[in-house]
Amino acid sequence: MKFIKFKDFPLRIKIIFLVCSVIILALFVTNYLTSKSIESTTISNIEEKARDVSRTMALSPIVIGGLTGEMEDTVLQDHVEQVRKATDVLFIVVLDMDRIRKTHPLKEQIGKKFVGGDERLVFLGIENISIAEGTLGHSLRYFTPVFNDNEEQIGAVVAGLLLEDVEKAVSENRAILIIGTALSLLVGILGAIFLAEKVKAILFRMEPSQIAQLLEERSAMLHYAREGIVAIDLTGKITLMNSEGERLFKKISHHEGQFEGKKIEDIFPNSRMTNVLITGIAELDKEISYNGINLLANRVPIYVDKKIVGVVATFRDKTEFKKLAEELTRVKVYADALRAQTHEFMNKLHVILGMVHMKCYDELVEFVKNTTTKLQEDVGYITKHVKDPILAGFVLGKLSYARERGAELIFKKDCYVPIAKNTDDTHELITILGNLIDNSLDAVQGCHTKKIEVSAKYNDHFIYIRVSDTGVGISDNHLETIFQKGYSTKGEDRGMGLYLIQQCINRLNGTIDVISEEGIGTTIDIQIPYEAEE
């Protein structure tokens, strides 16, 4: 037979069992102690009753008179019996100094000697209580000496109750206690069941093992996430931070030690998590710069029962996104340049093929000569003035792309760009020039004159770039917003070119100026630091 271990029982059964066990143990101890207390109190009350009756009778003038002969025995007997019945005791016996009964509930016992052997102390003038076997059975008896006016002992009074009556009184009290204990146990069991159900509901009906497994899984998810995850409570103190969050916060705040329990404003004042805590409005995909480090942040309020209890935020080092965006931008620029050159080359091949079919060989020779001359002029000029082969190839691609779009792209004769000491600067130049030229090509479409002039000069560790076009221009109202991410007058999914240019210039600590007039055109001047290769 296979036994189920206690740890394998459902949580509900465990709670009910443990709570009931505690209640039963507590009630057992309480019942035992209360029972003893009741028993002791009951006996004490009975003893007190016997004592009071015995003392009262010992002071009674009738009892004193009966013992001194001043009162007839019948009057004494009647008086004592009246008191006995009124006080509900088993017996009241008046004894003279010879231990002879002057009164007794049983008249035939009057005049006979007291039996029991426990009356010795009372005839020495000492009150005492005892339990002994008498003519009426096993009883509790209280002895009180009787004195005359001269303080001489003249007899004794004995008041008693059967021990059966004492045990009966104790049993009655114990029965009440047992009934109370049983009702308490029933209430405790119902309370245990209610508590178990409540706890299970709070735990979403899950067992502790399931909760532990879920907690381990969630902890692993948090700590292995690539984003830094941080949570704060209503007081703005950090309650949760994963490993990536600790790495980022140490990097930006130079704080050593534990972060949990610290105020977020003391560690990262620019986090804006307390703002979300106050407003209750989520802030998504927002950029934060602190101590020279750019982060991309998402901040969301935490609601429980429709009340804000905290804020959770994710942070990601924007450098990673920047590198990825740069790579994508460069690939796109290179691809566009290659596509334009390929398209132009295919068009010329089609012209050559048509002339061959028409046997226009003289015209074909002239066309090839002009094309070769033009290509050599472009290549020669660009390679002479743009020393970096990557940048030169990109410029040649843009020349082809401009011709494809029916625009005239002119690189001024004073252009000169040396090879950059840092290759990243070359890629930044490609991003800047590529987006400037693309924007100008878009601006001149639909205009009578489609002309774009580009100047790039190197002087005293700076590159000066100017791009002018004869396009539609930019209104004064739009000049302040053209560098915003996603802003464009050309439709949806646009507005990234000038934004990327602004980001590149910021990274290079450069400057940009825009001069534009509607219907005339736009001129953009850029100045950026540039270290040439020696």
Side-chain angles (χ1 to χ4, degrees), residues 36 63 67 87 106 147 199 202 245 280 294 312 375 397 435 478 488 532:
K36 287 296 182 181
V63 172
L67 287 173
T87 55
L106 301 176
F147 297 94
V199 171
I202 292 173
N294 294 324
V312 64
L375 179 60
N435 284 288
H478 292 160
S488 176

Side-chain angles (χ1 to χ4, degrees), residues 466-497:
R466 169 173 286 187
V467 177
S468 301
D469 63 59
T470 58
V472 293
I474 305 170
S475 67
D476 294 337
N477 294 332
H478 292 160
L479 278 177
E480 295 182 358
T481 57
I482 58 175
F483 294 105
Q484 292 181 4
K485 184 179 181 180
Y487 175 81
S488 176
T489 59
K490 305 169 188 174
E492 296 182 358
D493 299 325
R494 303 294 295 269
M496 292 300 295

Side-chain angles (χ1 to χ4, degrees), residues 296-494:
L296 190 66
N298 291 280
R299 296 168 288 264
V300 181
I302 304 171
Y303 285 91
V304 175
D305 294 331
K306 298 181 180 180
K307 294 182 180 179
I308 295 179
V309 297
V311 173
V312 64
T314 61
F315 298 94
R316 188 77 183 265
D317 193 340
K318 197 185 170 193
T319 305
E320 301 173 7
F321 292 101
K322 184 189 75 173
K323 289 181 179 179
L324 179 60
E326 287 175 355
E327 292 299 324
L328 291 174
T329 302
R330 293 164 191 165
V331 170
K332 182 178 182 301
V333 169
Y334 297 147
D336 287 343
L338 290 173
R339 185 192 61 77
Q341 287 181 328
T342 301
H343 192 259
E344 185 181 24
F345 180 67
M346 289 296 296
N347 288 337
K348 290 177 180 179
L349 285 179
H350 288 148
V351 172
I352 293 172
L353 182 61
M355 288 183 176
V356 170
H357 280 301
M358 292 185 297
K359 298 181 180 180
C360 300
Y361 300 120
D362 293 336
E363 290 83 354
L364 175 59
V365 171
E366 190 65 26
F367 176 76
V368 171
K369 185 184 296 184
N370 291 336
T371 300
T372 303
T373 301
K374 179 63 177 172
L375 179 60
Q376 287 176 344
E377 288 177 355
D378 289 343
V379 172
Y381 174 79
I382 295 300
T383 54
K384 180 180 179 182
H385 292 83
V386 180
K387 297 301 182 180
D388 191 299
I390 297 176
L391 185 58
F394 160 74
V395 171
L396 289 171
K398 281 300 178 184
L399 288 169
S400 299
Y401 181 57
R403 285 193 291 269
E404 180 185 339
R405 297 192 62 177
E408 183 182 8
L409 177 60
I410 301 172
F411 280 83
K412 290 192 173 182
K413 293 183 179 180
D414 58 353
C415 287
Y416 177 71
V417 181
I419 298 176
K421 187 176 182 179
N422 185 353
T423 55
D424 287 340
D425 290 347
T426 302
H427 297 304
E428 298 286 7
L429 274 180
I430 290 173
T431 300
I432 293 171
L433 278 174
N435 284 288
L436 284 176
I437 294 172
D438 286 343
N439 281 352
S440 294
L441 287 172
D442 290 336
V444 299
Q445 297 302 310
C447 296
H448 178 71
T449 303
K450 301 178 181 179
K451 184 177 180 182
I452 302 164
E453 292 185 347
V454 178
S455 172
K457 295 184 290 184
Y458 172 74
N459 184 28
D460 196 19
H461 305 292
F462 279 90
I463 284 285
Y464 300 90
I465 299 172
R466 169 173 286 187
V467 177
S468 301
D469 63 59
T470 58
V472 293
I474 305 170
S475 67
D476 294 337
N477 294 332
H478 292 160
L479 278 177
E480 295 182 358
T481 57
I482 58 175
F483 294 105
Q484 292 181 4
K485 184 179 181 180
Y487 175 81
S488 176
T489 59
K490 305 169 188 174
E492 296 182 358
D493 299 325
R494 303 294 295 269

Side-chain angles (χ1 to χ4, degrees), residues 81-208:
E81 280 300 299
Q82 287 179 356
V83 174
R84 182 185 69 80
K85 292 176 181 179
T87 55
D88 194 25
V89 296
L90 177 63
F91 61 86
I92 300 175
V93 178
V94 178
L95 304 174
D96 61 14
M97 292 302 292
D98 295 326
R99 296 175 174 76
I100 300 301
R101 301 188 185 102
K102 302 290 286 182
T103 64
H104 198 280
L106 301 176
K107 293 183 178 180
E108 62 270 17
Q109 296 295 326
I110 298 174
K112 293 183 180 180
K113 197 167 185 175
F114 185 81
V115 297
D118 53 347
E119 73 283 0
R120 184 178 59 85
L121 290 176
V122 75
F123 285 100
L124 295 176
I126 302 172
E127 276 188 328
N128 68 289
I129 187 170
S130 69
I131 297 175
E133 188 73 30
T135 56
L136 296 176
H138 204 57
S139 60
L140 180 148
R141 308 195 279 197
Y142 197 92
F143 295 86
T144 304
V146 181
F147 297 94
N148 59 17
D149 294 338
N150 297 324
E151 297 297 325
E152 295 175 350
Q153 186 174 355
I154 58 175
V157 175
V158 184
L161 295 93
L162 280 176
L163 284 182
E164 292 179 359
D165 294 336
V166 176
E167 293 174 357
K168 182 180 178 182
V170 173
S171 297
E172 289 175 355
N173 289 325
R174 188 180 290 118
I176 295 173
L177 181 62
I178 291 173
I179 293 172
T181 301
L183 291 175
S184 299
L185 180 60
L186 178 61
V187 172
I189 292 172
L190 294 176
I193 295 173
F194 174 78
L195 176 64
E197 290 296 327
K198 196 70 175 176
V199 171
K200 286 288 288 183
I202 292 173
L203 300 179
F204 301 100
R205 317 300 301 178
M206 297 176 68
E207 293 295 318

